[in-house]
């Protein structure tokens, strides 16, 4: 059974290179269940590349900018040895 895309919301670049876009989708197969999806410019599946192209073309509104995940800060204690 082939699922059809019924909605796509909240597109946001998922990397600084702008080759992947995270979003939420609903499909005909899963009804109203909202699913996370990453559209990839180089996806091995044709539907992934097609969805990416549609998002970039503006079919689903503006794409939010990529927000890098901050590097974790290693807690330190005065006088403690670090590994």
């Amino acid at each position: 059974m082939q699922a059809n895309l019924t909605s796509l919301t909240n597109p946001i670049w998922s990397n600084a290179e702008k080759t992947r876009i995270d979003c939420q989708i609903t499909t005909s197969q899963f009804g109203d269940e909202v699913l996370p999806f990453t559209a990839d410019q180089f996806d091995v599946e044709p539907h992934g590349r097609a969805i990416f192209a549609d998002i970039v073309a503006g079919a689903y509104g503006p794409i939010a900018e990529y927000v890098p995940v901050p590097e974790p800060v290693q807690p330190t204690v005065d006088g403690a040895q670090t590994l």
Side-chain angles (χ1 to χ4, degrees), residues 2-3 7 10 14 17-20 26 29 31 33 37 42 46 48 51 53 55 58 65-66 69 71 76 79 83:
Q2 182 177 350
S7 74
N10 304 319
S14 61
E17 297 76 25
K18 296 189 174 185
T19 59
R20 290 190 307 270
T26 57
Q29 184 177 7
E33 183 177 353
F37 184 80
F42 304 109
I51 292 170
I55 296 170
E65 287 300 318
Y66 169 68
V69 177
E71 291 289 324
T76 60
L83 300 176

Side-chain angles (χ1 to χ4, degrees), residues 9-25:
T9 59
N10 304 319
I12 182 171
W13 292 108
S14 61
N15 64 1
E17 297 76 25
K18 296 189 174 185
T19 59
R20 290 190 307 270
I21 303 169
D22 290 336
C23 57
Q24 286 81 46
I25 64 169

Side-chain angles (χ1 to χ4, degrees), residues 3-83:
N4 294 312
L5 182 65
T6 54
S7 74
L8 187 149
T9 59
N10 304 319
I12 182 171
W13 292 108
S14 61
N15 64 1
E17 297 76 25
K18 296 189 174 185
T19 59
R20 290 190 307 270
I21 303 169
D22 290 336
C23 57
Q24 286 81 46
I25 64 169
T26 57
T27 65
S28 58
Q29 184 177 7
F30 293 102
D32 291 334
E33 183 177 353
V34 177
L35 306 168
F37 184 80
T38 300
D40 191 314
Q41 179 179 7
F42 304 109
D43 202 316
V44 296
E45 295 292 337
H47 71 271
R49 294 189 305 271
I51 292 170
F52 180 91
D54 287 346
I55 296 170
V56 170
Y60 299 99
I63 306 168
E65 287 300 318
Y66 169 68
V67 178
V69 177
E71 291 289 324
V73 176
Q74 180 69 24
T76 60
V77 176
D78 289 340
Q81 294 180 350
T82 58
L83 300 176

